[in-house]
Amino acid sequence: MKKVRKAVIPAAGLGTRFLPATKALAKEMLPIVDKPTIQFIVEEAINSGIEDILIVTGKGKRPIEDHFDSNPELEANLREKNKTELLKLVEETTDINLHFIRQSHPKGLGHAVLQAKAFVGDEPFVVMLGDDIMEDKIPLTRQLIQDYEKTYASTIAVMKVPQKETSKYGIIAPERLIEKGLYNVLRFVEKPKPEEAPSDLAIIGRYLLTPQIFEILENQIPGAGGEIQLTDAIDTLNKIQRVFARKFCGVRYDVGDKFGFLSTNIQYGLTHPEIKDNLRKYIIELGKELEKKDSQNQVGEVTKQTK
């Protein structure tokens, strides 16, 4: 059995949901307090035992490469001023085996993963999406690797979502429970209507795949949105070899839209040693102020109605 030691992070999306901020800035570089979102993904990979990471980029994504590159001038400045803690933060983003490749045309997630064929070779690998930050005692990617070490099969991370939101996700039709949290899957469906969804278990941004997925992706017919859908390819893979689903029971932060991004910043900020106390006080005071304004508005409305 070959060890799972490689990860692929697709980061070629245009980030249209965050315009105009992403007109000249890579969406993956938007910070959660003081750390770019993509750094959370890279750290999860490293903490899961991944040795080599390929980031699939596109036009305007050069800042991602710069972030993980060394900056001798900045490092020298911090060293000269004896700012050791800041120097440590800067240096820890450079000692990583990172590789980059460009996806010239945005043809979907499946097409982005296909760009990793030469990098992966004949090894199992993980795909980690940057819109999902996962928090658990054991990193989710590590959980998938542990499953692979028992089954030698592709395993996809899933979690329960509201039935009305199934059209936003790939959804699994679970066949049976193999062990606690691990499902054998009958089929995978890309973004089904709520009334047609086979379950409420949605595919989230972590996949452990065998290299056979590349041959399928090379011949995959475009699906939803006219794009090469990874979910469709996984469904085809499931017809020729087993594909399992691991139910995630930790906390998922969806930073792919404005509200999810803002709420993640707040939640992360409440644990950040530099700002957590002040942020907590600010939120409490803001809540009181908003409650007072709501009360005043309600009194005003009653006064208008009695005149």
Side-chain angles (χ1 to χ4, degrees):
M1 180 192 74
K2 293 191 175 180
K3 181 182 176 183
V4 181
R5 62 187 192 90
K6 293 180 178 179
V8 177
I9 303 176
L14 298 175
T16 52
R17 284 182 286 185
F18 287 93
L19 285 170
T22 49
K23 181 181 178 182
L25 175 69
K27 177 189 69 173
E28 294 79 11
M29 290 301 297
L30 292 173
I32 305 300
V33 182
D34 55 4
K35 186 187 295 187
T37 55
I38 196 167
Q39 189 172 329
F40 285 89
I41 313 304
V42 170
E43 288 175 354
E44 180 188 329
I46 293 169
N47 292 335
S48 298
I50 294 298
E51 299 170 9
D52 287 280
I53 301 169
L54 176 70
I55 299 179
V56 183
T57 66
K59 184 176 175 59
K61 302 290 184 167
R62 183 60 187 269
I64 298 175
E65 296 184 42
D66 290 341
H67 176 70
F68 289 105
D69 196 2
S70 62
N71 188 328
E73 184 178 336
L74 173 61
E75 291 166 19
N77 181 275
L78 294 173
R79 196 174 290 111
E80 182 182 330
K81 295 180 178 179
N82 201 31
K83 296 183 177 181
T84 53
E85 288 301 315
L86 289 176
L87 179 62
K88 182 181 178 183
L89 288 175
V90 170
E91 290 181 331
E92 70 183 13
T93 62
T94 61
D95 191 22
I96 305 168
N97 290 330
L98 277 177
H99 312 262
F100 297 87
I101 190 171
R102 276 202 171 197
Q103 182 187 17
S104 300
H105 303 285
K107 297 180 181 179
L109 178 57
H111 183 260
V113 173
L114 184 57
Q115 308 311 300
K117 182 180 179 182
F119 168 78
V120 170
D122 61 350
E123 300 179 35
F125 67 106
V126 293
V127 175
M128 308 174 70
L129 304 190
D131 282 350
D132 293 317
I133 296 175
M134 309 298 189
E135 188 177 284
D136 207 351
K137 292 180 180 178
I138 299 174
L140 178 52
T141 295
R142 181 61 198 156
Q143 293 178 36
L144 298 181
I145 292 172
Q146 289 174 341
D147 286 331
Y148 178 80
E149 290 170 350
K150 292 183 289 186
T151 66
Y152 311 139
S154 297
T155 307
I156 314 303
V158 299
M159 71 181 301
K160 280 184 171 290
V161 297
Q163 191 73 25
K164 63 182 180 180
E165 295 183 9
T166 57
S167 59
K168 299 178 182 179
Y169 300 90
I171 301 293
I172 70 165
E175 186 175 23
R176 59 192 174 92
L177 198 61
I178 302 298
E179 61 178 56
K180 184 179 180 181
L182 188 65
Y183 294 89
N184 195 36
V185 182
L186 188 63
R187 70 183 190 280
F188 298 82
V189 185
E190 178 65 16
K191 298 179 179 178
K193 296 177 181 178
E195 63 272 17
E196 297 174 358
S199 76
D200 59 356
L201 290 171
I203 299 171
I204 52 178
R206 302 294 183 271
Y207 311 73
L208 192 153
L209 300 168
T210 56
Q212 286 72 27
I213 195 71
F214 292 116
E215 183 178 348
I216 295 170
L217 285 169
E218 286 175 324
N219 299 285
Q220 186 67 48
I221 298 171
E227 298 180 334
I228 305 299
Q229 297 292 345
L230 182 59
T231 301
D232 294 342
I234 292 171
D235 189 53
T236 301
L237 179 66
N238 192 38
K239 293 178 173 63
I240 58 175
Q241 59 179 232
R242 297 180 304 169
V243 177
F244 296 102
R246 162 60 61 185
K247 184 180 177 183
F248 179 55
C249 296
V251 180
R252 169 181 175 246
Y253 300 100
D254 182 358
V255 296
D257 60 43
K258 294 182 182 72
F259 177 75
F261 177 75
L262 286 172
S263 61
T264 300
N265 262 281
I266 293 169
Q267 292 180 69
Y268 182 68
L270 288 170
T271 66
H272 195 289
E274 291 182 32
I275 67 170
K276 61 181 182 180
D277 294 334
N278 286 337
L279 180 59
R280 180 180 176 83
K281 290 177 184 176
Y282 171 75
I283 291 172
I284 292 172
E285 290 303 316
L286 181 61
K288 291 178 180 177
E289 186 178 326
L290 291 174
E291 188 175 317
K292 182 178 179 181
K293 286 182 178 179
D294 287 343
S295 179
Q296 290 173 343
N297 289 337
Q298 289 174 9
V299 171
E301 286 297 320
V302 172
T303 302
K304 286 180 183 179
Q305 292 173 11
T306 57
K307 286 184 178 179

